[in-house]
Every structure is written in structure tokens, then in C-alpha cells.
């Protein structure tokens, strides 16, 4: 049986007259849900499907969260902001404390790789160009870590303990830590503290590597401190934020043993560690203490040399935590 549309059906004409003129379709649909008498507040809640509203609000929240997590396109970021984003310490939040030993592409957020010596040397040449007062104190002809193949020959597959020193000694024939031909200096002090013995320095370095130890400098270039009396804070900051931070991400050590004031100052330049280390203003007062940051344990020590023999007790205590 053919049924006519609702407004023209028999017996409904008086309802049309009482309701008045018909509204447009969107308005009629919006208010047609008020079937029974109710207050405005009740009708307003009834007009909405609670399940559909909840789903829509949840989707909106997820969309906002995704928009916060998603980084803006590089083309919309100013150059200075882009540089700060490259040095963003939040990248190291989950990076330290474990390592799988595989080779990974450079600047990969999940599996970063050690910076090449060419990039490191270029960073120091740029620093010397913008800071001419330190140009004569920086040796820009080579990097000791490259000359003595520190990464290729002496870094174990997994670095458990990273010893963070200050800077390489000045001079081509100096007793650099990985210079197998010259003993003494920092290497002798470290081997004595770790009770590493051997007939030659090469033998001791092999044992050092076998125990999954690795030593690196806060400032990778050779700097002549005799000209200034100290390592400039600008150089420490540049080294920490553009080089050391990348190195820590790639090595992922379980322990970091900071040796000396320059090492402490460098770690403070990395935001991941700056807050917990801000209370330590002097390396002599902090020597022998440790702090936990995520999966990484930071251990602080005075630089082990003849001038700091009066701090021998705190130095030994620091080395015992990693030995």
C-alpha cells in the first residue's frame, strides 16, 4: 500500500497547524528530537549522542597529541632554532645506558653514530674563525683521536664505562692516552687506579678495552693552556653541545667517570645532566660522589695527577665504583 509523506497523511493536518510553519530541514532535524516535554538543559543534552560525542572528543584529543608530537617541517624553522633542535638534549633521554654494538647511520635519532673526525675538526676550525683570540692556542692540523685510531682500535663493541678526561696534551710527542709509544701521564694514573698491569702500554690498553672501558676527552682538539692558563668556557660549551653529546648518544655507556673540572663543566652543558649537576660547583667537593640519570650513572672525580695527590682518597673511591 502506498503511503504518503508524513505532513500530508490523513489525521495529521491539525498537528501541522499547531506546530506552525515548517522550518528548514537542518533546523527541523536539530529540534525534532524533543519528543517529550523537558527543560532546555535536558533537551540540550538529549540532542547529543553521548557515545558519538565521547568518540569525537577522544579523537580530537588524540589528534592534538599527535600534532604536539609531530615536529614542524624544517623549512618553517629559523636557522638558529634548527641548530638548537639539532643539539636538543632530549634526544638522549633514552639513548644512554645500553648499546647493541651495531653500526648505525649518522644523526639517526634511535641509533646515532660517532661523528667523523672530519666533522669534529671542522667544528673547531669554525670556532677558531669566530674566536680569533684563541686561534693560536688551538692546533687545527690533526686530532689525536684520529691519529691514534682511538675509535677504530681501542673502542670495544660495547662500552660499559666511559672515562671523560679534559683535553689532549699539547705537543706531537706527548704522552697521549692512546699513544702506545709513550707511557706516563693520565694513562699511568688510570691503569694504577684500575689495577691494570702489563709489560707494555699496548698490553695495558688491550686489557683496558677487554674490560669494556673507553676514554675520551671533553675537548677533542689540542689546546695550549699555557697561553691562556685555562680552557675557555666557550670552547667547552661548543665541544659538549656539538660533539660530546653525539658521542654519548653513540657510545651509550652505563657509567660515565668525569675526570676533572673541564669534564664536569662539559657535562653541565648537556641539558640531560645539567639539572642534577648544577649543585656541584667545585670538582674537589664533588669528587667521589655519584648521581643517577636515567640508565646512566655519573661519577665525579678530581683529575688524577701528581698535583692532586691530597685528593687520592676520593679519586680511589670514584674508580672503585667502576672497577
Amino acid at each position: 500500500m502506498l503511503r504518503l509523506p508524513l505532513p500530508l497523511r490523513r489525521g495529521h493536518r491539525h498537528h501541522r497547524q499547531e506546530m506552525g510553519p515548517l522550518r528548514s530541514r537542518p533546523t527541523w532535524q536539530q529540534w525534532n528530537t524533543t519528543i517529550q516535554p523537558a527543560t532546555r538543559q535536558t533537551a540540550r543534552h538529549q540532542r547529543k549522542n553521548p557515545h558519538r560525542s565521547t568518540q569525537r572528543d577522544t579523537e580530537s584529543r588524540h589528534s592534538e597529541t599527535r600534532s604536539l608530537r609531530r615536529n614542524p617541517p624544517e623549512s618553517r624553522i629559523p636557522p638558529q632554532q634548527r641548530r638548537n633542535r639539532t643539539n636538543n638534549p632530549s634526544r638522549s633521554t633514552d639513548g644512554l645506558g645500553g648499546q647493541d654494538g651495531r653500526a648505525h647511520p649518522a644523526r639517526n635519532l634511535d641509533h646515532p653514530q660517532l661523528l667523523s673526525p672530519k666533522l669534529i675538526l671542522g667544528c673547531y676550525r669554525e670556532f677558531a674563525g669566530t674566536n680569533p683570540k684563541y686561534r693560536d692556542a688551538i692546533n687545527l692540523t690533526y686530532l689525536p683521536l684520529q691519529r691514534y685510531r682511538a675509535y677504530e682500535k681501542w673502542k670495544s663493541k660495547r662500552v660499559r664505562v666511559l672515562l671523560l678526561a679534559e683535553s689532549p696534551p699539547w705537543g706531537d710527542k706527548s704522552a697521549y692516552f692512546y699513544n702506545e709509544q709513550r707511557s706516563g701521564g693520565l694513562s699511568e694514573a688510570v691503569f694504577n687506579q684500575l689495577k691494570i698491569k702489563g709489560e707494555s702500554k699496548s698490553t695495558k690498553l688491550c686489557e683496558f678495552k677487554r674490560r669494556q672501558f673507553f676514554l675520551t676527552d671533553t675537548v677533542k682538539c689540542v689546546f695550549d693552556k699555557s697561553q691562556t692558563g685555562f680552557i675557555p668556557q666557550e670552547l667547552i660549551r661548543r665541544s659538549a653541545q656539538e660533539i660530546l653529546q653525539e658521542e654519548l648518544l653513540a657510545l651509550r655507556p652505563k657509567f660515565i667517570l668525569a675526570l676533572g673540572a673541564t669534564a664536569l663543566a662539559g657535562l653541565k652543558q648537556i641539558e640531560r645532566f645539567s639539572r642534577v649537576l648544577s649543585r656541584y660547583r667545585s670538582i674537589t667537593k664533588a669528587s667521589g660522589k655519584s648521581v643517577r640519570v636515567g640508565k646512566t650513572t655519573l661519577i665525579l672525580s678530581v683529575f688524577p695527577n701528581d698535583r692532586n695527590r691530597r685528593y687520592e682518597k676520593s679519586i680511589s673511591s670514584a674508580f672503585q665504583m667502576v672497577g
Side-chain angles (χ1 to χ4, degrees), residues 23 95 163 194 228:
R23 300 178 179 90
L163 280 70
L194 297 176
T228 59

Side-chain angles (χ1 to χ4, degrees), residues 238-273:
R238 177 72 67 89
S239 299
Q241 294 180 351
E242 298 191 11
I243 301 173
L244 178 61
Q245 180 173 244
E246 299 289 336
E247 190 174 31
L248 296 180
L249 284 169
L251 296 178
R252 301 183 186 182
K254 185 176 181 181
F255 298 94
I256 298 177
L257 176 55
L259 303 175
T262 300
L264 175 59
L267 291 175
K268 283 184 176 181
Q269 296 299 323
I270 301 176
E271 189 175 344
R272 173 180 169 82
F273 306 125

Side-chain angles (χ1 to χ4, degrees), residues 272-283:
R272 173 180 169 82
F273 306 125
S274 61
R275 191 164 67 104
V276 297
L277 295 177
S278 60
R279 63 180 180 269
Y280 298 116
R281 300 182 180 275
S282 171
I283 189 61

Side-chain angles (χ1 to χ4, degrees), residues 15 34 82 87 94-95 119 160 177 215 258 264 289:
H15 289 290
T34 58
R82 196 177 309 161
N87 299 322
D94 300 320
L119 288 176
R160 184 177 67 89
F177 188 85
L215 183 139
L264 175 59
K289 297 181 180 180

Side-chain angles (χ1 to χ4, degrees), residues 282-318:
S282 171
I283 189 61
T284 56
K285 295 181 179 180
S287 184
K289 297 181 180 180
S290 65
V291 291
R292 182 84 173 179
V293 182
K295 299 179 181 180
T296 309
T297 300
L298 301 178
I299 303 171
L300 308 176
S301 172
V302 172
F303 194 83
N305 56 19
D306 294 338
R307 295 193 304 271
N308 294 324
R309 285 184 177 179
R310 63 183 181 275
Y311 303 107
E312 182 67 26
K313 185 176 180 180
S314 65
I315 294 174
S316 298
S317 176

Side-chain angles (χ1 to χ4, degrees), residues 132-139 170 224 227:
K133 58 183 176 179
Y134 301 127
R135 187 176 302 165
D136 295 336
I138 303 178
N139 189 333
W170 181 266
D224 187 6
Q227 297 190 27

